[in-house]
Amino acid sequence: MTRHLFSTYAAVLLLAGSASAQQKATITGVPEIPFTSVPNFLKLPAGEYLGESVAVATNSKGNIFVYHRRDTTRLFEFDKNGTFIKEIGKGYYGFEFAHSVRVDKDDNIWTVDEGTNLVTKFSPEGKVLMVIGRRPPAVDGPVVTPGPNPPAQKYILCRPSDVGFDPQGNIFIADGYCNNRVVKYDKNGRFVAQAGSEKAGKELGEFNLPHGLQVDGRGHVWVADRTNNRYQELDNNLKPIKEITNLGTGWTICVSGGPHQYVFFSNSNPNGNPPGSWQNTGEIYKAELDGTVLGKFGKPGKNPPGFQVVHKIDCRNPNELILGEIESWRVQKYILQPPPPRTAAGERR
């Protein structure tokens, strides 16, 4: 078990600043990745609008799923060209306050709903196949937890935030805003293990708001540990491997597909865009799985190509990212351009 900083230099950087504050990245010397932004490429039916576009995902066909908050939580499917196909789960009891959507290797669609404490697996056609968690029943009255969080339970989630899958089909859930843990279930939804607990912590393998989660091809679990201003990498049994503390606040994370995987980290500007936040947050970093940071791109802004609180990222294609934004209620596509070619001496042409 090691502590590790993602850096282009062999330097040891200490975590600084308040754990609860948005933190400026301390890494230096990271090249800018040129890109083209394609805003408003989704074609909505007449009379329909996107609300807070908190989550986006694509399937193997390139279809795009947008899980968003408006008059009620909605899940829309578009084709790869942005043409609306259908709505999934209209009126579904598991939808109240959207937080994440992901697609597994079999093109099943998984939603994570912070309001109902449910993670739902839908078939590609939109049929409910599995539910993990339980929605608090209305007859029990309002859920009030003025004191310490109650002990975490195997099958009861508390404001979950994200979901991921390993190559064997095991399910990993970031749980979440009141349980500070990552939970592993097998492919049939049986509890296997957890890291962290209902108590927030700062040590490796502990969390304070695990806000984003993805799993790479080796089965390693990557967690955006937001309030701790870091990212963590865990092994498949949820044992900590390393932490990354120099890329700002761990807002969300994405691991690309294909045989050569990349990991993307978002130091997003915080909700509400408080004064000064645009000067030190907003960028997204691209890195190798071994920790080499390859570049960064993006800045906060109300108009494209700026973005407003990137809540979740789809990076199935590492050169074509789709960003779900909260504060501007939109989805943008970012097409990353290759860096200028290098000469044999390593200089830019």
Side-chain angles (χ1 to χ4, degrees):
M1 182 174 69
T2 61
R3 293 177 180 261
H4 180 82
L5 295 179
F6 273 27
S7 177
T8 51
Y9 303 101
V12 176
L13 300 174
L14 297 176
L15 181 64
S18 169
S20 62
Q22 189 77 17
Q23 181 166 292
K24 183 176 181 178
T26 55
I27 189 172
T28 59
V30 180
E32 293 284 341
I33 300 174
F35 64 87
T36 301
S37 170
V38 186
N40 304 316
F41 68 100
L42 300 179
K43 306 171 184 66
L44 289 154
E48 290 283 8
Y49 299 89
L50 292 179
E52 293 182 341
S53 302
V54 295
V56 290
T58 60
N59 67 11
S60 63
K61 300 176 182 177
N63 289 1
I64 303 159
F65 300 87
V66 181
Y67 197 34
H68 60 111
R69 307 166 183 165
R70 33 172 284 185
D71 52 330
T72 184
T73 280
R74 311 281 291 273
L75 176 60
F76 288 173
E77 180 180 1
F78 303 83
D79 70 15
K80 63 183 179 181
N81 297 314
T83 302
F84 181 83
I85 297 176
K86 65 177 182 288
E87 180 173 359
I88 297 170
K90 186 174 183 179
Y92 176 52
Y93 186 60
F95 287 178
E96 183 174 285
F97 197 68
H99 203 274
S100 183
V101 64
R102 302 290 188 181
V103 177
D104 66 22
K105 61 183 177 60
D106 299 314
D107 280 349
N108 298 304
I109 308 135
W110 295 71
T111 58
V112 180
D113 196 284
E114 183 189 341
T116 62
N117 296 332
L118 292 178
V119 175
T120 303
K121 176 184 180 181
F122 293 92
S123 72
E125 296 74 34
K127 179 181 178 180
V128 174
L129 300 178
M130 182 187 295
V131 175
I132 298 176
R134 183 169 188 251
R135 178 172 181 157
V139 294
D140 286 349
V143 177
V144 181
T145 54
N149 294 329
Q153 301 180 52
K154 291 181 179 179
Y155 299 102
I156 300 296
L157 307 175
C158 192
R159 298 182 67 189
S161 57
D162 211 348
V163 65
F165 327 95
D166 68 12
Q168 290 71 43
N170 293 307
I171 305 156
F172 298 83
I173 295 174
D175 178 42
Y177 277 80
C178 41
N179 282 333
N180 298 283
R181 64 176 182 166
V182 172
V183 192
K184 178 180 180 179
Y185 300 91
D186 70 15
K187 64 181 180 181
N188 298 312
R190 284 178 171 268
F191 176 89
V192 176
Q194 76 172 34
S197 71
E198 70 279 0
K199 298 178 180 179
K202 297 181 179 180
E203 299 301 317
L204 284 176
E206 297 179 341
F207 309 95
N208 191 348
L209 180 46
H211 192 256
L213 177 151
Q214 284 289 267
V215 186
D216 67 28
R218 305 166 298 177
H220 290 191
V221 182
W222 296 81
V223 184
D225 189 7
R226 193 172 96 182
T227 305
N228 279 330
N229 291 310
R230 67 180 179 183
Y231 300 89
Q232 292 195 59
E233 181 186 1
L234 314 176
D235 70 14
N236 197 254
N237 296 312
L238 302 184
K239 303 301 181 184
I241 297 173
K242 59 175 177 275
E243 64 177 359
I244 303 102
T245 63
N246 61 345
L247 298 183
T249 299
W251 195 272
T252 194
I253 196 165
C254 189
V255 178
S256 68
H260 188 146
Q261 294 186 297
Y262 300 93
V263 60
F264 292 87
F265 304 93
S266 176
N267 182 29
S268 186
N269 48 313
N271 290 324
N273 298 289
S277 64
W278 284 16
Q279 282 69 50
N280 59 18
T281 63
E283 71 281 359
I284 296 173
Y285 294 90
K286 179 182 180 180
E288 301 278 6
L289 293 183
D290 68 0
T292 304
V293 173
L294 302 174
K296 65 179 180 178
F297 61 92
K299 298 181 184 302
K302 291 185 179 296
N303 296 316
F307 36 60
Q308 287 267 275
V309 190
V310 176
H311 194 262
K312 288 289 184 282
I313 302 171
D314 178 87
C315 61
R316 181 182 292 266
N317 177 349
N319 295 317
E320 188 175 292
L321 273 62
I322 300 175
L323 313 179
E325 301 176 52
I326 297 179
E327 306 251 340
S328 284
W329 298 11
R330 67 183 171 210
V331 173
Q332 288 193 72
K333 183 186 296 184
Y334 267 49
I335 301 172
L336 304 187
Q337 306 297 327
R342 293 180 180 271
T343 64
E347 296 178 351
R348 299 288 188 189
R349 290 182 180 176

